[in-house]
Amino acid sequence: DIVDFNIFLNRIIDRFEMTHKEDVKFVRNIPKSAIFTEISFDKMGQVLDNVISNAIKYSSSNNKRVEFHVKQNILYNRMTVRIKDNGLGIPANKVDRIFERFYRVDKARARKMGGTGLGLAISKEIIEAHDGRIWANSVEGEGTTIFINLPCETIEEDDWDA
Ligand code: ATP
Ligand code: MG
């Protein structure tokens, strides 16, 4: 399906905002103008659900904050989404492993919190199936940023003629 990614993302954030009114501040840096992209709603929803849940879950602070940033690169017909938290962060030598199946940074904590450790491995498969890339930046004790780069559609004027 072709959608305006900004509307799609805003709806997902709205949903999280409703259930985390008290404990998380959501900051949106999302353009007003449309960025069209071809995605599977279900699959992309699953990716964003996991990334946002992680941002909330791996954070102990009492002023949790999740920031969203969307930027289009018109020259390359791509867009980049950044999802940044102020949570626990990940040690530098472990950041690249979080996309591996069943990998969890803190096994004891992970056991307590449930889940399977598959979220990001599945997210990576889904993003790559969309011809995209996903990666992370993190500073231990400060927070983590997940980057997702995706192709976008150019809606040519001709498309509107028919
Ligand atoms: P599941 O998603 O299957 O419920 P999970 O959240 O443990 O389980 P992933 O989403 O794949 O699995 O994440 C893998 C690991 O990466 C997590 O266990 C955690 O250690 C680390 N991680 C992921 N996102 C963050 C984040 N935003 N901040 C700190 N650590 C993170
Ligand atoms: Mg997860």
Side-chain angles (χ1 to χ4, degrees):
D1 305 83
I2 294 184
V3 277
D4 173 1
F5 189 85
N6 295 329
I7 292 178
F8 180 75
L9 178 62
N10 272 310
R11 291 231 173 94
I12 290 174
I13 303 170
D14 289 343
R15 194 151 44 66
F16 273 94
E17 210 161 37
M18 277 191 287
T19 49
H20 289 276
K21 263 210 170 72
E22 268 79 53
D23 59 325
V24 186
K25 183 168 163 46
F26 295 90
V27 180
R28 308 184 200 208
N29 240 300
I30 302 170
K32 293 258 184 310
S33 54
I35 301 179
F36 292 102
T37 174
E38 188 168 6
I39 56 171
S40 147
F41 291 160
D42 280 3
K43 299 237 151 83
M44 195 57 68
Q46 206 184 320
V47 170
L48 293 167
D49 275 349
N50 178 55
V51 171
I52 300 168
S53 312
N54 285 349
I56 297 169
K57 189 158 68 157
Y58 300 109
S59 167
S60 60
S61 78
N62 42 18
N63 52 357
K64 292 190 193 186
R65 186 184 161 91
V66 184
E67 267 179 61
F68 298 84
H69 196 278
V70 178
K71 196 168 158 51
Q72 189 172 16
N73 186 330
I74 294 170
L75 190 62
Y76 292 103
N77 254 318
R78 310 278 302 184
M79 55 177 294
T80 303
V81 189
R82 280 191 342 235
I83 300 167
K84 179 179 185 215
D85 66 59
N86 62 349
L88 305 172
I90 302 161
N93 60 336
K94 293 180 172 162
V95 183
D96 291 331
R97 301 203 58 190
I98 63 174
F99 296 96
E100 292 173 17
R101 283 165 176 271
F102 307 116
Y103 186 80
R104 317 181 88 171
V105 173
D106 181 336
K107 287 183 185 60
R109 194 182 62 211
R111 247 193 308 276
K112 262 186 289 171
M113 289 206 256
T116 57
L118 278 171
L120 287 174
I122 294 168
S123 300
K124 188 170 183 222
E125 275 177 27
I126 293 172
I127 293 298
E128 287 176 354
H130 282 79
D131 203 13
R133 286 214 306 131
I134 181 169
W135 69 99
N137 247 357
S138 192
V139 179
E140 199 176 6
E142 285 183 23
T144 302
T145 305
I146 300 292
F147 297 80
I148 298 172
N149 179 271
L150 288 170
C152 43
E153 299 287 316
T154 37
I155 309 287
E156 300 287 346
E157 265 185 80
D158 282 345
D159 295 350
W160 298 102
D161 286 349

